[in-house]
């Protein structure tokens, strides 16, 4: 099967954002000040913080500019990132620290040996995969026995999200699919995983409004942060019955 990746349109806004990302201080600031992303990272890093993860080697799938790979690396022995887009891969490699390494490639076909990693982590990437089940089988292959996946994915399964916005999101964010807790669980099990745990996050009305506004306004939404940041972190301390995104973990 031929490898495929989505190639984003090189719009003026994307050029503008990439220009901002070339400034490392602004890049870090944007990552730290996004309350929705903070909720996602809190869920992913929960197991990485455990003492028995100290000697782990992890893979960040769809690592982008590598910021979160570097962030996760403080908890483990070594963190690898894999990224298909050359412009983002170069940023990741430029800022790599001694515990991180970044390679080009797609999730559906990776060059790593069987049983290389203790954990696979990913921040909102699976929805962009052309063949997610094929990628999940690759995760299973490269994980050690009892290795695990820890990821967030786009869902938009919320009464506060309109059908019109869902369609817009699919097009604007280059999504191949969106997930429910049932669909992501079924696909991971089909790829050979067990003990799948999936639940909705970012499900409050305020959190969903923030996510929609961020997508529509981009970096300009950060002017509203003084209100949204503390409110979202307070409201999103527990799993939701519906939500803009899903956190999922599974064991090989």
């Amino acid at each position: 099967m031929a490898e495929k990746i989505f190639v984003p349109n090189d719009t003026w806004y994307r050029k503008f954002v990439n220009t901002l990302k070339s400034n490392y201080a602004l890049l870090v600031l944007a990552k730290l000040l996004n309350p929705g992303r903070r909720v996602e990272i809190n869920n992913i890093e929960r197991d990485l913080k455990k003492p028995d993860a100290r000697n782990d080697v992890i893979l960040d799938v769809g690592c982008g500019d590598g910021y979160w790979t570097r962030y996760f690396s403080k908890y483990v022995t070594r963190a690898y990132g894999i990224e298909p887009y050359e412009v983002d891969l170069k940023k990741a490699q430029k800022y790599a620290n001694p515990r991180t390494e970044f390679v080009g490639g797609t999730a559906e076909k990776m060059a790593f040996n069987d049983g290389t990693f203790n954990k696979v982590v990913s921040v909102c990437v699976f929805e962009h995969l052309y063949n997610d089940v094929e990628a999940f089988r690759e995760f299973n292959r490269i994980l050690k026995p009892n290795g695990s996946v820890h990821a967030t994915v786009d869902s938009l399964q919320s009464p506060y999200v309109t059908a019109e916005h869902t369609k817009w999101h699919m097009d604007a964010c280059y999504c191949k699919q969106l997930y429910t807790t049932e669909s992501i669980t079924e696909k991971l099990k089909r790829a050979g995983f067990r003990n799948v745990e999936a639940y909705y996050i970012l499900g409050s009305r305020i959190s969903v409004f923030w996510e929609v506004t961020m997508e529509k306004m981009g970096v300009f939404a950060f002017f509203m942060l003084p209100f949204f940041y503390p409110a979202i972190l307070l409201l999103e301390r527990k799993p939701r019955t519906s939500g803009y995104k899903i956190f999922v973990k599974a064991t090989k």
Side-chain angles (χ1 to χ4, degrees):
M1 177 178 175
E3 295 176 63
K4 296 181 180 180
I5 61 171
F6 280 111
V7 180
N9 296 323
D10 199 17
T11 62
W12 73 267
Y13 180 73
R14 186 172 178 81
K15 291 177 180 177
F16 172 66
V17 171
N18 281 332
T19 299
L20 292 179
K21 283 183 176 180
S22 64
N23 182 300
Y24 187 71
L26 289 177
L27 173 66
V28 171
L29 195 62
K31 302 287 186 181
L32 294 177
L33 293 181
N34 185 339
R37 189 66 87 206
R38 183 69 259 171
V39 171
E40 294 182 68
I41 298 305
N42 286 348
N43 280 275
I44 291 175
E45 71 177 342
R46 189 173 294 119
D47 288 319
L48 298 181
K49 286 181 174 180
K50 294 178 179 178
D52 60 0
R54 185 70 251 180
N55 295 321
D56 282 356
V57 178
I58 68 171
L59 174 67
D60 184 5
V61 174
C63 65
D65 53 46
Y67 176 81
W68 294 117
T69 317
R70 296 190 297 276
Y71 177 89
F72 294 140
S73 74
K74 65 186 178 182
Y75 299 122
V76 298
T77 294
R78 191 156 187 81
Y80 289 78
I82 185 168
E83 171 58 41
Y85 298 119
E86 186 175 357
V87 62
D88 286 333
L89 178 62
K90 286 181 178 179
K91 289 190 184 77
Q93 293 171 334
K94 178 179 179 180
Y95 298 120
N97 64 36
R99 290 193 303 275
T100 58
E101 184 174 335
F102 299 96
V103 299
T106 63
E108 292 91 344
K109 188 176 181 181
M110 297 185 282
F112 302 111
N113 293 330
D114 295 1
T116 299
F117 300 99
N118 301 94
K119 291 181 176 69
V120 168
V121 300
S122 188
V123 184
C124 278
V125 171
F126 298 172
E127 59 270 15
H128 305 297
L129 300 174
Y130 270 93
N131 191 325
D132 53 358
V133 174
E134 183 178 346
F136 298 163
R137 291 192 178 108
E138 274 288 88
F139 301 165
N140 196 298
R141 179 185 67 79
I142 64 173
L143 281 169
K144 299 177 185 291
N146 297 312
S148 52
V149 173
H150 308 254
T152 57
V153 297
D154 281 3
S155 175
L156 279 67
Q157 295 295 308
S158 167
Y160 310 127
V161 178
T162 65
E164 289 77 14
H165 179 73
T166 298
K167 183 180 184 305
W168 178 90
H169 175 93
M170 292 283 289
D171 294 335
C173 298
Y174 312 99
C175 294
K176 181 68 168 59
Q177 59 267 312
L178 298 174
Y179 295 97
T180 63
T181 52
E182 293 80 10
S183 69
I184 188 73
T185 297
E186 186 275 329
K187 288 186 174 185
L188 283 165
K189 286 183 176 179
R190 202 192 318 166
F193 285 94
R194 57 189 174 85
N195 300 332
V196 182
E197 178 184 349
Y199 54 80
Y200 293 101
I201 58 175
L202 297 170
S204 70
R205 186 186 292 270
I206 289 175
S207 299
V208 171
F209 180 79
W210 167 261
E211 291 296 320
V212 171
T213 303
M214 268 290 295
E215 290 181 6
K216 296 286 188 175
M217 295 181 60
V219 294
F220 304 109
F222 282 94
F223 289 108
M224 300 187 295
L225 271 176
F227 170 73
F228 280 96
Y229 197 95
I232 289 174
L233 293 188
L234 179 65
L235 291 167
E236 297 296 334
R237 291 178 297 176
K238 294 181 179 180
R240 293 279 179 168
T241 55
S242 65
Y244 209 79
K245 298 187 180 183
I246 291 170
F247 170 72
V248 62
K249 66 178 182 178
T251 307
K252 176 174 176 177

